[in-house]
Amino acid sequence: MSKLSVNDALVHGKRNGLNWNGGHACPRLIQATPRASAENLLHRGLPQANGMARGHSNARIPLEGLEDFTREDSFVIQGESLNYMIHKGLDCPREQNKGFLQEICASKPQERSSQLDGWSQMAAAGGNAKNSKLYSHFSLPPKCNSLAEAHGYIYLIAKDQHGCRFLQRVFDEGSQLDVQIIFKEIIDHVVELMMNPCGNYLMQKLLEVCDEEQRMQILLMVTEEPGQLVKISLNTHGTRVVQKLIESLKTRQQISLVISALEPGFLSLIKDLNGNHVLQRCLQCLTSEDNKFIFVDAAKYCVDIATHQHGCCVLQRCISHSTGEYREKLVEEISTNGLLLAQDAYGNYVVQFILELKIPSATSTLISQFEGNYVHLSSQKFSSHVVERCLVVLNDESRARIIRELLSATHFERLLQDPHANYVVQTALRVSEGPMHNSLVDAIGSRKAISRSSPYSKRIFSQKLMKK
């Protein structure tokens, strides 16, 4: 919508029976007809500048009314956003709109400025993003073509999509002095900006261009309160900045600050959709000794983490990045709980990961738990994958013991007809050789008439693996 001039606003009011009563800091609307009341005016909006109701440009306007509108402290002059507000309508009931206008007009000039300046913060506190954007017109300059014009507004501009991009361009094209100017205006707000949908991008860029002293100040701000860095890490936007922060750490003091801040929230981080990526970035960027807090706690809460959707993935990364005693402890804890984890929706992936490492002590621990349970494990959705992995990665002797246990099942034909166990049998046929393969083929062939009707057992016969 195009914006109305003061002239158009007055003409429209004149035509609809509104009198402009001079002598006040703000024009007073006197209701002459129901359809032209201040309430209706606010709710319906003034006509568009190109609409039928637009007044002729030569229309005469009472000078006393025009004086009031052109005073510096008048409501209309206090921000070109008034027309925007009238056209778009405030996102609140009519009574509140009417009360707001009357309250602003009746207030003293010096009070009016503070009311408008604080409106953006009030809207944000109320949780209304639409109104927050609308009222920000009272606080932000119309346009910034240079850093000098943005001076004093940088914190607010950083939370705006276009303003944030403008400031990022300053980082790319400006000098170190420009970086310092921006840094000074946002340093007290870095925690908020890290979790802001737009501000987080500026913070990521700042971490790329700032010097060590500035980086240290940022670290001190985000670790000032206990749990603050963990809170940022759990945030959808904040996690990106914390990961960038970890990538940029240089000194021992910086690393120690981050580790001390993250360690108390380890369990929350590793099980969180956003927070787990922060720990993974630590594993990638820090030394094994620096990541000691991750390895120790991962072993301590092994079962809890392994049976979690996000935790099971990070636990595997922990094993990959750990060395020496830390790795041995992790592998030992997982292997000890192998039978329990093998039957879990997420834990089975961790057990398969350990089997693929082919660590003799871990493999021996797992096999000792699985023996005597292979039939039961093969018939379950998650653990059947573990049995298949055992058939693939274990040596011939261990593989033969698994197949013999399957063949000795009281009702072997049920395994052929089972929706999960039939895959185990198929894998056994594929990887077995020699006499053991022949024994398996004979056992399946003898039960062909019984099991051929099952849709699952048909897969076994169609694989053409039953060749001696």
Side-chain angles (χ1 to χ4, degrees), residues 203-220:
M203 290 304 303
Q204 290 181 63
K205 193 70 175 178
L206 176 60
L207 288 168
E208 293 177 4
V209 301
C210 69
D211 57 34
E212 292 309 308
E213 183 181 347
Q214 291 168 339
R215 183 176 289 107
M216 192 64 193
Q217 285 184 255
I218 294 172
L219 274 169
L220 291 173

Side-chain angles (χ1 to χ4, degrees), residues 17 26 29 59 147 158 245 279 398 405 420 450 463:
C26 177
L29 302 180
L147 189 59
L245 178 63
L279 292 180
S398 298
E405 185 174 327
H420 308 300
I450 300 174
Q463 292 295 320

Side-chain angles (χ1 to χ4, degrees), residues 403 407 412 416 425 429 432 434-449 451 461 465-468:
I403 294 174
L407 291 173
F412 178 71
L416 304 180
V425 176
L429 279 169
S432 60
M436 187 52 61
H437 178 81
N438 295 337
S439 298
L440 190 57
V441 170
D442 290 340
I444 295 172
S446 64
R447 294 167 175 82
K448 187 172 181 180
S451 58
F461 296 111
L465 294 170
M466 296 172 55
K467 295 181 180 179
K468 294 186 179 181

Side-chain angles (χ1 to χ4, degrees), residues 24 82 84 124 269 343 416:
H24 298 280
L82 175 60
Y84 182 92
L269 290 169
Q343 301 174 72
L416 304 180

Side-chain angles (χ1 to χ4, degrees), residues 250-397:
K250 297 289 193 302
T251 68
R252 172 52 47 188
Q253 185 182 10
Q254 293 173 0
I255 294 172
S256 297
L257 275 173
V258 170
I259 291 174
S260 299
L262 293 179
E263 187 173 3
F266 169 80
L267 203 55
S268 298
L269 290 169
I270 201 169
K271 295 167 71 173
D272 183 75
L273 173 64
N274 302 307
N276 82 86
H277 294 289
V278 170
L279 292 180
Q280 291 193 54
R281 194 53 52 92
C282 288
L283 293 171
Q284 294 168 3
C285 300
L286 304 182
T287 66
S288 183
E289 191 60 34
D290 291 331
N291 288 320
K292 175 183 176 181
F293 78 101
I294 297 178
F295 302 142
V296 171
D297 284 350
K300 181 180 179 180
Y301 302 106
C302 168
V303 174
D304 192 14
I305 295 170
T307 54
H308 188 271
Q309 180 182 5
H310 305 302
C312 71
C313 298
V314 186
L315 190 57
Q316 292 175 60
R317 304 292 182 278
C318 289
I319 298 168
S320 297
H321 287 88
S322 60
T323 57
E325 61 177 318
Y326 301 127
R327 190 183 196 211
E328 291 174 6
K329 183 64 175 175
L330 277 169
V331 172
E332 180 186 352
E333 287 296 324
I334 294 168
S335 303
T336 303
N337 295 281
L339 185 60
L340 172 66
L341 296 177
Q343 301 174 72
D344 183 77
Y346 304 109
N348 78 91
Y349 293 108
V350 181
V351 175
Q352 291 183 62
F353 184 80
I354 296 295
L355 285 168
E356 289 175 345
L357 294 177
K358 297 182 179 181
I359 300 172
S361 59
T363 302
S364 176
T365 302
L366 290 172
I367 290 175
S368 65
Q369 295 176 66
F370 296 158
E371 285 182 346
N373 295 295
Y374 283 117
V375 174
H376 173 69
L377 294 173
S378 298
S379 302
Q380 294 190 42
K381 180 178 180 180
F382 306 118
S383 56
S384 64
H385 296 293
V386 176
V387 178
E388 286 187 70
R389 187 63 57 190
C390 288
L391 287 167
V392 172
V393 303
L394 298 183
N395 57 35
D396 291 339
E397 182 183 350

Side-chain angles (χ1 to χ4, degrees), residues 223-241:
T223 58
E224 184 178 15
E225 296 181 11
Q228 192 161 244
L229 189 60
V230 173
K231 179 183 177 182
I232 299 171
S233 301
L234 298 176
N235 180 265
T236 305
H237 309 294
T239 183
R240 301 173 182 176
V241 189

Side-chain angles (χ1 to χ4, degrees), residues 47-58:
Q48 297 183 19
N50 60 352
M52 296 297 294
R54 178 176 177 175
H56 193 276
S57 59
N58 294 326

